[in-house]
Amino acid sequence: MNEEFMKLAIEEAKKSSEGIGCGAVVVKDGEVLAKAHNTQRQFFDASAHAEINAIREAGKKLKNKYLEGCTIYCTCEPCIMCTAAIAFAQMERIVYGLTLKNVFPKERLFDFDIDMLLSRSPKKIEVVKNFMEDECSKLL
């Protein structure tokens, strides 16, 4: 079942007009709540990452800022901002394809450890890393 949702995230990433297209899908109980891609340049919004866009859409659908019981599938490892948003939304699980270190040049990357950041969250979030990494790398 994970592959189906990551494939949807990959399709979303292909819609992006960013230099590096990212896609995200939020799922709860096997149902897709939201699909999104990054739109920073399109909307002149530095926070318009795929994960943030998907979290906003899922929250509207559930009419709740908390996305408890949800999993987010991301083609790329969530950045600091997106990881914090996922934690604040109280999501249950993150599944991602490519690590940020494999996507961005070192000089353009905030070097952080997702496990360390999430270890400080009051709610524990499961992280599945490098899922369908080869398929996600074709987006670069």
Side-chain angles (χ1 to χ4, degrees):
M1 186 179 290
N2 287 344
E3 287 185 19
E4 170 190 347
F5 300 128
M6 185 60 86
K7 286 178 183 176
L8 288 174
I10 290 169
E11 289 308 309
E12 277 299 310
K14 291 176 183 177
K15 296 177 184 178
S16 175
S17 59
E18 299 294 324
I20 296 175
C22 296
V25 174
V26 176
V27 176
K28 183 172 185 174
D29 299 326
E31 176 190 351
V32 174
L33 298 177
K35 299 184 291 186
H37 54 278
N38 50 337
T39 56
Q40 298 97 300
R41 288 181 182 92
Q42 180 182 353
F43 295 112
F44 310 105
D45 180 353
S47 70
H49 290 200
E51 298 91 338
I52 300 294
N53 292 340
I55 288 168
R56 287 176 177 153
E57 187 180 324
K60 287 176 187 174
K61 186 166 187 178
L62 292 177
K63 294 181 172 52
N64 195 334
K65 70 178 185 175
Y66 298 116
L67 304 177
E68 294 171 315
C70 291
T71 297
I72 188 163
Y73 294 83
C74 314
T75 56
C76 238
E77 176 183 7
C79 69
I80 294 171
M81 173 182 68
C82 294
T83 300
I86 291 165
F88 285 128
Q90 299 183 10
M91 298 182 86
E92 186 173 294
R93 192 165 76 131
I94 301 168
V95 179
Y96 72 80
L98 300 170
T99 61
L100 288 173
K101 290 178 182 178
N102 292 335
V103 176
F104 290 101
K106 196 172 195 169
E107 64 275 3
R108 289 190 52 213
L109 182 66
F110 282 99
D111 191 15
F112 83 104
D113 183 282
I114 192 169
D115 295 321
M116 187 275 299
L117 185 63
L118 290 175
S119 72
R120 296 171 184 254
S121 171
K123 184 174 189 299
K124 297 304 168 208
I125 300 171
E126 178 187 353
V127 179
V128 178
K129 303 175 182 183
N130 307 112
F131 183 73
M132 295 178 62
E133 184 177 20
D134 290 339
E135 291 87 340
C136 292
S137 69
K138 293 175 184 168
L139 296 167
L140 302 179

